[in-house]
Amino acid sequence: MGHLNCAVLPLSLTKLLLFLSCMFGMSFGTELSIVTCGSVVKLLNIKHNVRLHSHDVRYGSGSGQQSVTGVTAVEDSNSYWSIRGTSDTFCHRGTPVRCGQTIRLTHVNTGRNLHSHYFASPLSSNQEVSAFGDEGEGDHLDEWTVHCGESVWMREEAVRFRHKATDALLSVTGEQYGRPIHGQREVHAMSSPSQHSLWKAMEGIFMKPSENPAGSRDYSHPHTEF
């Protein structure tokens, strides 16, 4: 068992959530087996062992938007993503993410959403994946549907993310960038499912529901695992 080191947490769109986690003094644990709305997580591409990542570095081609990559580093704070609802469907904090549910993934440190469109990716010429928007607000091209085998997204389960507007799957096939992001892998979207499009929830702050004294649901208690 260990405790969250609040001094090393990054400033972010969800800094209030992180602050609450520090205040509660949450410790490491594995009792929460599901992925829930409002959670802040790292996502691992199982085939290539890289975590979904972004940073304030723009593509030099294609859309010119903020780049999204895969990194092997476990501790990098630029790999945290917040699970949110869409502009049409609210994702109540602490409720399980259902298989088939459409969500947005907001990059914590920059406030931009995981995004895709019909630009070619710079290395493989697959469909470009970028980070887009401001303070969590972008457009309909930020929406991804969670594909999983149970009724809800389980933390131990490999899942896929299908881009709602283009029907392409979030993928990594191993191409590596040079400078200024040397060694990071290209993340793109592909039309066909494969081992390259399987992801798993890893480290993060997992929001769990609890009952309040009045009997209604209270979704404000985070479970932390870094």
Side-chain angles (χ1 to χ4, degrees):
M1 288 288 185
H3 291 283
L4 177 63
N5 183 354
C6 302
V8 299
L9 291 176
L11 293 175
S12 67
L13 175 68
T14 54
K15 61 185 177 182
L16 178 59
L17 173 61
L18 300 176
F19 173 75
L20 286 172
S21 179
C22 291
M23 292 298 291
F24 279 113
M26 302 300 290
S27 60
F28 295 90
T30 58
E31 68 269 18
L32 194 65
S33 61
I34 56 176
V35 179
T36 53
C37 296
S39 295
V40 176
V41 302
K42 292 183 179 181
L43 296 169
L44 178 74
N45 183 278
I46 297 172
K47 173 70 173 177
H48 296 277
N49 197 35
V50 292
R51 283 161 173 76
L52 188 68
H53 182 90
S54 193
H55 37 226
D56 197 11
V57 176
R58 294 183 175 271
Y59 288 122
S61 61
S63 68
Q65 292 175 2
Q66 181 172 303
S67 58
V68 172
T69 63
V71 297
T72 56
V74 176
E75 299 83 6
D76 198 317
S77 67
N78 273 320
S79 300
Y80 284 113
W81 300 82
S82 175
I83 300 171
R84 305 172 59 231
T86 68
S87 56
D88 297 326
T89 306
F90 190 70
C91 191
H92 293 276
R93 188 171 60 188
T95 57
V97 177
R98 303 183 310 277
C99 297
Q101 182 173 343
T102 300
I103 61 171
R104 289 180 292 181
L105 292 167
T106 301
H107 186 242
V108 168
N109 280 355
T110 64
R112 297 190 174 100
N113 297 325
L114 190 69
H115 183 94
S116 193
H117 37 219
Y118 289 120
F119 287 98
S121 61
L123 301 183
S124 66
S125 296
N126 286 303
Q127 184 172 305
E128 182 188 277
V129 170
S130 63
F132 174 77
D134 184 50
E135 291 298 315
E137 296 306 319
D139 61 23
H140 72 287
L141 297 178
D142 303 338
E143 297 178 358
W144 300 80
T145 301
V146 181
H147 286 250
C148 44
E150 305 292 336
S151 59
V152 296
W153 179 2
M154 306 298 295
R155 285 183 58 189
E156 294 301 316
E157 181 183 11
V159 303
R160 290 186 170 95
F161 301 99
R162 186 177 293 277
H163 189 240
K164 185 177 179 181
T166 65
D167 210 34
L169 293 158
L170 185 69
S171 304
V172 176
T173 50
E175 298 83 3
Q176 294 190 36
Y177 287 104
R179 293 182 178 178
I181 50 176
H182 178 74
Q184 295 187 23
R185 308 306 201 275
E186 180 183 86
V187 173
H188 47 248
M190 303 176 69
S191 58
S192 299
S194 70
Q195 293 296 309
H196 302 293
S197 58
L198 290 172
W199 300 83
K200 183 179 176 181
M202 301 298 287
E203 307 82 9
I205 297 174
F206 293 84
M207 301 300 296
K208 58 182 179 180
S210 62
E211 299 288 347
N212 67 22
S216 61
R217 302 296 282 177
D218 174 14
Y219 300 110
S220 61
H221 298 286
H223 164 75
T224 309
E225 184 172 317
F226 281 92

Coordinates of all heavy atoms in Angstrom, one line a residue, residues 15-104:
K15 N -8.3 19.4 -12.3 CA -7.5 19.5 -11.1 C -8.3 19.5 -9.9 O -7.8 19.1 -8.8 CB -6.7 20.9 -11.2 CG -7.5 22.1 -11.3 CD -6.6 23.3 -11.5 CE -7.5 24.6 -11.7 NZ -6.6 25.8 -12.0
L16 N -9.6 19.9 -10.0 CA -10.5 19.8 -8.8 C -10.6 18.3 -8.4 O -10.6 18.0 -7.2 CB -11.8 20.4 -9.1 CG -12.8 20.3 -8.0 CD1 -12.3 21.0 -6.7 CD2 -14.2 21.0 -8.4
L17 N -10.8 17.5 -9.4 CA -10.9 16.0 -9.1 C -9.7 15.5 -8.4 O -9.7 14.8 -7.4 CB -11.2 15.3 -10.4 CG -11.2 13.7 -10.3 CD1 -12.3 13.3 -9.4 CD2 -11.4 13.2 -11.7
L18 N -8.5 15.9 -9.0 CA -7.3 15.4 -8.4 C -7.1 16.0 -7.0 O -6.6 15.3 -6.1 CB -6.1 15.9 -9.3 CG -6.2 15.3 -10.7 CD1 -5.0 15.9 -11.5 CD2 -6.1 13.8 -10.8
F19 N -7.5 17.2 -6.8 CA -7.4 17.8 -5.4 C -8.2 17.1 -4.4 O -7.8 16.8 -3.3 CB -7.8 19.3 -5.5 CG -7.8 20.0 -4.2 CD1 -6.7 20.3 -3.5 CD2 -9.1 20.2 -3.6 CE1 -6.7 20.9 -2.2 CE2 -9.1 20.9 -2.4 CZ -8.0 21.2 -1.7
L20 N -9.4 16.7 -4.8 CA -10.3 16.0 -4.0 C -9.7 14.6 -3.6 O -9.8 14.1 -2.5 CB -11.7 15.8 -4.6 CG -12.6 17.0 -4.7 CD1 -13.8 16.7 -5.5 CD2 -13.0 17.5 -3.3
S21 N -9.1 14.0 -4.6 CA -8.4 12.7 -4.3 C -7.3 12.9 -3.3 O -7.2 12.0 -2.4 CB -7.8 12.2 -5.6 OG -7.2 10.9 -5.4
C22 N -6.5 13.9 -3.4 CA -5.5 14.2 -2.4 C -6.1 14.4 -1.0 O -5.6 13.9 0.0 CB -4.7 15.4 -2.8 SG -3.6 15.2 -4.2
M23 N -7.2 15.2 -1.0 CA -7.8 15.5 0.3 C -8.4 14.3 1.0 O -8.3 14.1 2.2 CB -9.0 16.5 0.1 CG -8.5 17.9 -0.3 SD -7.4 18.7 0.9 CE -8.7 19.0 2.2
F24 N -8.9 13.3 0.2 CA -9.4 12.1 0.8 C -8.3 11.2 1.2 O -8.5 10.2 1.9 CB -10.3 11.4 -0.2 CG -11.7 11.9 -0.3 CD1 -12.1 12.6 -1.4 CD2 -12.5 11.8 0.8 CE1 -13.4 13.1 -1.5 CE2 -13.8 12.3 0.8 CZ -14.3 13.0 -0.4
G25 N -7.0 11.4 0.8 CA -5.9 10.6 1.1 C -6.0 9.1 0.6 O -5.7 8.2 1.3
M26 N -6.5 9.0 -0.7 CA -6.8 7.7 -1.2 C -5.5 6.9 -1.4 O -4.5 7.5 -1.7 CB -7.5 7.8 -2.6 CG -8.8 8.6 -2.5 SD -10.0 7.9 -1.4 CE -10.4 6.4 -2.4
S27 N -5.6 5.6 -1.2 CA -4.4 4.7 -1.3 C -4.6 3.8 -2.5 O -5.6 3.7 -3.1 CB -4.2 3.9 0.0 OG -5.4 3.1 0.2
F28 N -3.5 3.2 -2.8 CA -3.5 2.2 -3.9 C -4.4 1.1 -3.6 O -4.5 0.6 -2.5 CB -2.1 1.7 -4.2 CG -1.1 2.7 -4.6 CD1 -0.4 3.5 -3.7 CD2 -0.9 3.0 -6.0 CE1 0.5 4.4 -4.1 CE2 0.0 4.0 -6.4 CZ 0.7 4.7 -5.5
G29 N -5.0 0.5 -4.7 CA -5.9 -0.6 -4.5 C -6.5 -1.1 -5.8 O -6.3 -0.5 -6.8
T30 N -7.2 -2.2 -5.8 CA -7.7 -2.8 -7.0 C -9.2 -3.2 -6.9 O -9.7 -4.0 -7.7 CB -6.9 -4.0 -7.4 OG1 -6.9 -5.0 -6.4 CG2 -5.4 -3.6 -7.8
E31 N -9.9 -2.7 -5.8 CA -11.2 -3.2 -5.6 C -12.2 -2.8 -6.6 O -13.2 -3.4 -6.8 CB -11.7 -2.9 -4.2 CG -11.9 -1.4 -4.0 CD -10.7 -0.6 -3.5 OE1 -9.6 -1.2 -3.6 OE2 -10.9 0.5 -2.9
L32 N -12.0 -1.7 -7.3 CA -12.9 -1.2 -8.3 C -12.6 -1.9 -9.6 O -11.6 -1.6 -10.2 CB -12.9 0.3 -8.4 CG -14.0 0.9 -9.2 CD1 -15.3 0.7 -8.5 CD2 -13.8 2.4 -9.4
S33 N -13.5 -2.8 -10.1 CA -13.2 -3.6 -11.3 C -13.8 -3.0 -12.6 O -13.5 -3.6 -13.6 CB -13.7 -5.0 -11.1 OG -15.2 -4.9 -10.9
I34 N -14.5 -1.9 -12.5 CA -15.1 -1.3 -13.7 C -14.6 0.0 -14.0 O -14.0 0.7 -13.1 CB -16.7 -1.2 -13.5 CG1 -17.0 -0.4 -12.2 CG2 -17.3 -2.6 -13.5 CD1 -18.5 -0.2 -12.0
V35 N -14.7 0.5 -15.2 CA -14.3 1.8 -15.6 C -15.6 2.7 -15.6 O -16.6 2.3 -16.1 CB -13.7 1.8 -17.0 CG1 -13.3 3.3 -17.4 CG2 -12.4 0.9 -17.0
T36 N -15.5 3.9 -15.0 CA -16.6 4.7 -14.7 C -16.5 6.1 -15.3 O -15.4 6.6 -15.5 CB -16.9 4.9 -13.2 OG1 -15.6 5.3 -12.6 CG2 -17.3 3.5 -12.6
C37 N -17.6 6.7 -15.5 CA -17.6 8.1 -16.0 C -17.0 9.0 -15.0 O -17.1 8.8 -13.8 CB -19.1 8.6 -16.3 SG -19.9 7.7 -17.5
G38 N -16.2 10.0 -15.5 CA -15.5 10.9 -14.6 C -14.1 10.5 -14.2 O -13.4 11.2 -13.6
S39 N -13.8 9.2 -14.5 CA -12.5 8.7 -14.1 C -11.4 9.4 -15.0 O -11.7 9.8 -16.1 CB -12.4 7.2 -14.3 OG -13.3 6.6 -13.4
V40 N -10.2 9.4 -14.4 CA -9.0 9.9 -15.1 C -8.1 8.7 -15.3 O -7.6 8.2 -14.2 CB -8.4 11.1 -14.4 CG1 -7.1 11.5 -15.1 CG2 -9.3 12.3 -14.3
V41 N -7.8 8.3 -16.5 CA -7.1 7.0 -16.7 C -6.0 7.1 -17.7 O -5.9 8.1 -18.5 CB -8.0 5.9 -17.1 CG1 -9.1 5.7 -16.1 CG2 -8.6 6.2 -18.5
K42 N -5.0 6.2 -17.6 CA -4.1 5.9 -18.7 C -4.6 4.7 -19.5 O -5.0 3.7 -18.9 CB -2.7 5.7 -18.2 CG -2.1 7.0 -17.6 CD -0.7 6.7 -17.1 CE -0.1 8.0 -16.5 NZ 1.4 7.8 -16.1
L43 N -4.4 4.7 -20.8 CA -4.9 3.7 -21.7 C -3.7 3.0 -22.4 O -2.9 3.7 -23.1 CB -5.9 4.2 -22.7 CG -7.2 4.8 -22.1 CD1 -8.0 5.5 -23.2 CD2 -8.1 3.6 -21.5
L44 N -3.6 1.7 -22.2 CA -2.5 1.0 -22.8 C -2.9 0.2 -24.0 O -3.8 -0.5 -24.0 CB -2.0 0.0 -21.7 CG -0.8 -0.9 -22.2 CD1 0.5 -0.2 -22.2 CD2 -0.7 -2.1 -21.2
N45 N -2.1 0.4 -25.1 CA -2.2 -0.4 -26.3 C -1.5 -1.7 -26.0 O -0.3 -1.7 -25.8 CB -1.7 0.3 -27.5 CG -1.9 -0.6 -28.8 OD1 -1.1 -1.5 -29.1 ND2 -2.9 -0.2 -29.5
I46 N -2.3 -2.8 -25.9 CA -1.7 -4.1 -25.5 C -0.7 -4.6 -26.4 O 0.4 -5.1 -26.0 CB -2.9 -5.1 -25.3 CG1 -3.9 -4.6 -24.2 CG2 -2.4 -6.4 -24.9 CD1 -5.1 -5.4 -24.1
K47 N -0.9 -4.6 -27.7 CA 0.0 -5.1 -28.7 C 1.4 -4.5 -28.6 O 2.4 -5.1 -28.7 CB -0.6 -5.0 -30.1 CG 0.3 -5.4 -31.2 CD 0.5 -6.9 -31.3 CE 1.3 -7.3 -32.5 NZ 1.6 -8.7 -32.5
H48 N 1.4 -3.2 -28.5 CA 2.7 -2.4 -28.6 C 3.2 -1.9 -27.2 O 4.2 -1.3 -27.2 CB 2.5 -1.3 -29.6 CG 2.3 -1.8 -31.0 ND1 3.3 -2.2 -31.8 CD2 1.1 -2.0 -31.6 CE1 2.7 -2.6 -33.0 NE2 1.4 -2.5 -32.9
N49 N 2.4 -2.1 -26.2 CA 2.8 -1.8 -24.8 C 3.2 -0.3 -24.7 O 4.2 0.1 -24.1 CB 4.0 -2.6 -24.4 CG 4.2 -2.6 -22.9 OD1 3.3 -2.5 -22.1 ND2 5.5 -2.5 -22.4
V50 N 2.3 0.6 -25.3 CA 2.5 2.0 -25.2 C 1.2 2.6 -24.7 O 0.1 2.1 -24.9 CB 2.8 2.7 -26.5 CG1 4.2 2.2 -27.0 CG2 1.8 2.3 -27.6
R51 N 1.3 3.7 -23.9 CA 0.1 4.4 -23.4 C -0.2 5.6 -24.3 O 0.6 6.3 -24.8 CB 0.4 4.9 -21.9 CG 0.4 3.7 -20.9 CD 1.1 4.0 -19.6 NE 0.9 3.0 -18.6 CZ 1.4 1.8 -18.6 NH1 2.3 1.5 -19.6 NH2 1.2 0.9 -17.7
L52 N -1.5 5.8 -24.4 CA -2.1 6.9 -25.2 C -1.6 8.2 -24.6 O -1.8 8.4 -23.4 CB -3.6 6.8 -25.3 CG -4.3 7.7 -26.2 CD1 -4.0 7.4 -27.7 CD2 -5.8 7.7 -25.9
H53 N -1.1 9.1 -25.4 CA -0.3 10.2 -25.0 C -0.6 11.4 -25.8 O -0.9 11.3 -27.0 CB 1.2 9.9 -25.0 CG 2.1 10.9 -24.5 ND1 2.5 11.0 -23.2 CD2 2.8 11.9 -25.2 CE1 3.4 12.0 -23.1 NE2 3.5 12.6 -24.3
S54 N -0.5 12.6 -25.3 CA -0.5 13.8 -26.1 C 0.3 14.9 -25.4 O 0.7 14.7 -24.2 CB -2.0 14.3 -26.3 OG -2.0 15.3 -27.4
H55 N 0.5 16.0 -26.0 CA 1.4 17.1 -25.5 C 1.1 18.3 -26.5 O 0.5 18.2 -27.5 CB 2.8 16.6 -25.6 CG 3.1 15.8 -26.8 ND1 3.7 14.6 -26.8 CD2 2.6 15.9 -28.1 CE1 3.8 14.0 -28.0 NE2 3.1 14.8 -28.8
D56 N 1.6 19.4 -26.1 CA 1.4 20.6 -26.9 C 2.5 20.7 -28.1 O 3.3 21.6 -28.2 CB 1.5 21.9 -26.0 CG 0.9 23.1 -26.7 OD1 0.3 22.9 -27.7 OD2 1.1 24.2 -26.2
V57 N 2.4 19.6 -28.9 CA 3.2 19.6 -30.1 C 2.3 19.3 -31.3 O 1.5 18.3 -31.2 CB 4.3 18.4 -30.0 CG1 5.1 18.3 -31.3 CG2 5.2 18.7 -28.8
R58 N 2.3 20.1 -32.3 CA 1.4 20.0 -33.4 C 2.0 19.2 -34.5 O 3.2 19.1 -34.7 CB 1.0 21.4 -33.9 CG 0.1 22.1 -32.8 CD -0.4 23.5 -33.3 NE -1.2 24.1 -32.3 CZ -2.5 23.9 -32.2 NH1 -3.1 23.1 -33.1 NH2 -3.2 24.5 -31.3
Y59 N 1.1 18.5 -35.3 CA 1.6 17.8 -36.5 C 2.1 18.8 -37.5 O 1.6 19.9 -37.7 CB 0.4 17.1 -37.1 CG -0.1 15.9 -36.4 CD1 -1.4 15.7 -35.9 CD2 0.8 14.8 -36.1 CE1 -1.8 14.6 -35.3 CE2 0.4 13.7 -35.4 CZ -0.9 13.6 -35.0 OH -1.3 12.5 -34.3
G60 N 3.2 18.4 -38.2 CA 3.7 19.3 -39.2 C 3.1 19.1 -40.6 O 3.4 19.7 -41.6
S61 N 2.1 18.2 -40.6 CA 1.4 17.9 -41.9 C -0.1 17.6 -41.5 O -0.5 17.7 -40.3 CB 2.0 16.7 -42.6 OG 1.9 15.5 -41.8
G62 N -0.9 17.2 -42.5 CA -2.3 16.9 -42.2 C -3.1 18.1 -41.6 O -3.0 19.2 -42.1
S63 N -3.7 17.9 -40.5 CA -4.6 18.9 -39.9 C -3.8 20.0 -39.2 O -4.3 21.1 -39.0 CB -5.5 18.3 -38.8 OG -4.8 17.8 -37.7
G64 N -2.5 19.7 -38.8 CA -1.8 20.7 -38.0 C -2.3 20.8 -36.6 O -1.8 21.7 -35.8
Q65 N -3.1 19.9 -36.1 CA -3.7 19.9 -34.8 C -2.7 19.3 -33.8 O -1.6 18.7 -34.2 CB -5.0 19.2 -34.7 CG -6.1 20.0 -35.5 CD -7.4 19.2 -35.5 OE1 -7.6 18.2 -34.9 NE2 -8.4 19.8 -36.2
Q66 N -3.0 19.3 -32.5 CA -2.1 18.7 -31.5 C -2.0 17.2 -31.7 O -3.0 16.5 -31.9 CB -2.7 19.0 -30.1 CG -1.9 18.5 -28.9 CD -2.5 18.9 -27.6 OE1 -2.6 20.1 -27.4 NE2 -2.8 18.0 -26.8
S67 N -0.7 16.8 -31.7 CA -0.5 15.4 -32.0 C -0.8 14.4 -30.8 O -0.8 14.8 -29.6 CB 1.0 15.2 -32.3 OG 1.9 15.6 -31.3
V68 N -1.2 13.2 -31.2 CA -1.5 12.1 -30.2 C -0.5 11.0 -30.6 O -0.4 10.6 -31.7 CB -2.9 11.7 -30.3 CG1 -3.2 10.4 -29.5 CG2 -3.9 12.8 -29.9
T69 N 0.1 10.4 -29.6 CA 1.1 9.4 -29.8 C 1.0 8.3 -28.8 O 0.1 8.3 -27.9 CB 2.6 10.0 -29.7 OG1 2.8 10.5 -28.3 CG2 2.8 11.1 -30.7
G70 N 1.9 7.3 -28.8 CA 2.0 6.3 -27.8 C 3.4 6.3 -27.2 O 4.3 6.4 -27.9
V71 N 3.4 6.2 -25.9 CA 4.7 6.2 -25.2 C 4.9 5.0 -24.3 O 3.9 4.5 -23.8 CB 4.9 7.5 -24.4 CG1 4.9 8.7 -25.2 CG2 3.8 7.6 -23.3
T72 N 6.2 4.6 -24.2 CA 6.5 3.4 -23.3 C 6.6 3.8 -21.8 O 6.4 2.9 -21.0 CB 7.8 2.8 -23.8 OG1 8.8 3.7 -23.7 CG2 7.6 2.2 -25.2
A73 N 6.8 5.1 -21.6 CA 6.9 5.5 -20.2 C 5.6 5.3 -19.4 O 4.6 5.6 -19.9 CB 7.4 7.0 -20.1
V74 N 5.8 4.8 -18.2 CA 4.6 4.6 -17.4 C 4.2 5.8 -16.6 O 3.0 6.1 -16.4 CB 4.9 3.4 -16.4 CG1 3.7 3.2 -15.4 CG2 5.2 2.1 -17.1
E75 N 5.2 6.6 -16.2 CA 4.9 7.7 -15.2 C 4.5 9.0 -15.9 O 4.2 10.0 -15.2 CB 6.2 7.9 -14.3 CG 6.6 6.8 -13.5 CD 7.4 5.7 -14.3 OE1 7.8 6.0 -15.4 OE2 7.7 4.7 -13.7
D76 N 4.6 9.2 -17.2 CA 4.4 10.4 -17.8 C 3.0 11.0 -17.6 O 2.0 10.4 -17.9 CB 4.6 10.3 -19.3 CG 4.9 11.6 -20.0 OD1 4.2 12.6 -19.7 OD2 5.8 11.6 -20.9
S77 N 2.9 12.2 -17.0 CA 1.6 12.8 -16.7 C 0.9 13.2 -18.0 O -0.4 13.5 -17.9 CB 1.8 14.0 -15.8 OG 2.5 15.1 -16.5
N78 N 1.5 13.3 -19.1 CA 0.8 13.6 -20.3 C 0.0 12.5 -20.9 O -0.5 12.5 -22.1 CB 1.8 14.2 -21.4 CG 2.0 15.7 -21.2 OD1 1.1 16.4 -21.0 ND2 3.2 16.1 -21.3
S79 N -0.1 11.4 -20.2 CA -0.8 10.2 -20.7 C -2.2 10.0 -19.9 O -2.8 9.0 -20.1 CB 0.0 8.9 -20.5 OG 1.2 9.0 -21.3
Y80 N -2.6 11.0 -19.2 CA -3.9 10.9 -18.5 C -5.0 11.5 -19.3 O -4.9 12.6 -19.9 CB -3.8 11.7 -17.2 CG -3.1 11.0 -16.1 CD1 -1.9 11.5 -15.6 CD2 -3.6 9.8 -15.5 CE1 -1.2 10.8 -14.6 CE2 -2.9 9.1 -14.5 CZ -1.7 9.6 -14.1 OH -1.0 9.0 -13.1
W81 N -6.1 10.8 -19.4 CA -7.3 11.1 -20.1 C -8.5 11.0 -19.2 O -8.7 10.1 -18.5 CB -7.5 10.2 -21.3 CG -6.3 10.3 -22.3 CD1 -5.2 9.6 -22.2 CD2 -6.2 11.1 -23.5 NE1 -4.3 9.9 -23.2 CE2 -4.9 10.8 -24.0 CE3 -7.1 12.0 -24.1 CZ2 -4.5 11.4 -25.2 CZ3 -6.7 12.6 -25.3 CH2 -5.4 12.3 -25.8
S82 N -9.4 12.0 -19.3 CA -10.6 12.0 -18.5 C -11.8 11.5 -19.4 O -12.0 11.8 -20.5 CB -11.0 13.5 -18.1 OG -12.2 13.6 -17.5
I83 N -12.6 10.6 -18.8 CA -13.7 10.0 -19.5 C -14.9 10.8 -19.3 O -15.4 11.0 -18.1 CB -13.9 8.5 -18.9 CG1 -12.7 7.7 -19.2 CG2 -15.1 7.9 -19.6 CD1 -12.7 6.3 -18.5
R84 N -15.5 11.3 -20.4 CA -16.6 12.3 -20.3 C -17.7 11.9 -21.2 O -17.5 11.1 -22.2 CB -16.1 13.7 -20.6 CG -15.0 14.1 -19.8 CD -14.4 15.4 -20.2 NE -15.4 16.5 -20.2 CZ -15.6 17.3 -21.3 NH1 -14.9 17.1 -22.4 NH2 -16.5 18.3 -21.2
G85 N -18.9 12.4 -21.0 CA -20.0 12.2 -21.9 C -19.8 13.1 -23.2 O -18.9 13.9 -23.3
T86 N -20.8 13.0 -24.1 CA -20.8 13.8 -25.3 C -21.6 15.0 -25.1 O -22.2 15.2 -24.0 CB -21.3 13.0 -26.5 OG1 -22.7 12.7 -26.3 CG2 -20.6 11.6 -26.6
S87 N -21.7 15.8 -26.1 CA -22.5 17.1 -26.0 C -24.0 16.7 -26.0 O -24.8 17.5 -25.5 CB -22.3 18.0 -27.2 OG -22.5 17.3 -28.4
D88 N -24.4 15.5 -26.4 CA -25.8 15.1 -26.4 C -26.1 14.2 -25.2 O -27.3 14.1 -24.9 CB -26.1 14.3 -27.7 CG -26.0 15.2 -28.9 OD1 -26.2 16.4 -28.8 OD2 -25.5 14.7 -30.0
T89 N -25.1 13.5 -24.7 CA -25.4 12.5 -23.7 C -24.5 12.7 -22.5 O -23.3 12.6 -22.6 CB -25.2 11.0 -24.2 OG1 -26.0 10.9 -25.4 CG2 -25.6 10.0 -23.2
F90 N -25.1 13.0 -21.3 CA -24.3 13.2 -20.1 C -23.9 11.9 -19.5 O -24.6 10.9 -19.5 CB -25.2 14.0 -19.1 CG -24.4 14.5 -17.9 CD1 -23.5 15.5 -18.0 CD2 -24.6 13.9 -16.6 CE1 -22.8 16.0 -16.9 CE2 -23.8 14.3 -15.5 CZ -23.0 15.4 -15.7
C91 N -22.6 11.9 -19.1 CA -22.0 10.7 -18.5 C -21.9 11.0 -17.0 O -21.0 11.7 -16.5 CB -20.6 10.5 -19.1 SG -19.8 9.0 -18.7
H92 N -22.9 10.5 -16.2 CA -22.9 10.8 -14.8 C -21.7 10.3 -14.0 O -21.4 9.1 -14.2 CB -24.2 10.2 -14.2 CG -25.5 10.9 -14.7 ND1 -25.9 12.1 -14.1 CD2 -26.3 10.6 -15.7 CE1 -27.0 12.4 -14.8 NE2 -27.3 11.5 -15.7
R93 N -21.1 11.1 -13.3 CA -19.8 10.7 -12.6 C -20.0 9.5 -11.7 O -20.9 9.5 -10.9 CB -19.3 11.9 -11.8 CG -17.9 11.7 -11.2 CD -17.4 13.0 -10.6 NE -18.3 13.5 -9.6 CZ -18.1 14.7 -9.0 NH1 -17.2 15.5 -9.4 NH2 -19.0 15.1 -8.0
G94 N -19.2 8.5 -11.9 CA -19.2 7.3 -11.1 C -20.1 6.2 -11.6 O -20.0 5.1 -11.1
T95 N -20.8 6.4 -12.7 CA -21.6 5.4 -13.3 C -20.7 4.5 -14.3 O -19.9 5.1 -14.9 CB -22.8 5.9 -14.1 OG1 -22.4 6.8 -15.1 CG2 -23.8 6.6 -13.1
P96 N -20.9 3.2 -14.3 CA -20.1 2.4 -15.2 C -20.3 2.8 -16.7 O -21.4 3.2 -17.1 CB -20.7 1.0 -15.0 CG -21.3 1.0 -13.6 CD -21.9 2.4 -13.5
V97 N -19.2 2.8 -17.4 CA -19.3 3.0 -18.9 C -19.8 1.7 -19.5 O -19.2 0.7 -19.4 CB -17.9 3.4 -19.5 CG1 -18.0 3.6 -21.0 CG2 -17.4 4.7 -18.8
R98 N -20.9 1.8 -20.2 CA -21.5 0.7 -20.9 C -20.8 0.3 -22.2 O -20.3 1.2 -22.9 CB -23.0 0.9 -21.2 CG -23.8 1.3 -20.0 CD -25.3 1.5 -20.3 NE -25.5 2.4 -21.5 CZ -25.5 3.7 -21.5 NH1 -25.3 4.3 -20.3 NH2 -25.6 4.4 -22.6
C99 N -20.8 -1.0 -22.5 CA -20.3 -1.4 -23.8 C -21.3 -0.8 -24.8 O -22.5 -1.0 -24.7 CB -20.2 -2.9 -23.9 SG -19.1 -3.6 -22.7
G100 N -20.8 -0.2 -25.9 CA -21.6 0.5 -26.9 C -21.9 1.9 -26.6 O -22.5 2.6 -27.4
Q101 N -21.4 2.4 -25.4 CA -21.7 3.8 -25.0 C -20.7 4.7 -25.8 O -19.5 4.4 -26.0 CB -21.5 4.0 -23.5 CG -21.8 5.4 -23.1 CD -21.8 5.5 -21.5 OE1 -21.9 4.5 -20.8 NE2 -21.6 6.7 -21.0
T102 N -21.1 5.9 -26.2 CA -20.3 6.9 -26.8 C -19.8 7.9 -25.8 O -20.5 8.4 -25.0 CB -21.0 7.6 -28.0 OG1 -21.4 6.6 -28.9 CG2 -20.1 8.6 -28.7
I103 N -18.5 8.1 -25.8 CA -17.8 9.0 -24.8 C -16.9 10.0 -25.5 O -16.6 9.8 -26.7 CB -17.0 8.2 -23.8 CG1 -15.9 7.4 -24.5 CG2 -17.9 7.2 -23.0 CD1 -14.9 6.7 -23.6
R104 N -16.4 10.9 -24.7 CA -15.2 11.7 -25.1 C -14.1 11.4 -24.2 O -14.3 11.2 -23.0 CB -15.6 13.2 -25.1 CG -16.5 13.7 -26.2 CD -16.8 15.1 -26.1 NE -17.6 15.5 -24.9 CZ -18.0 16.7 -24.6 NH1 -17.7 17.7 -25.4 NH2 -18.7 16.9 -23.5

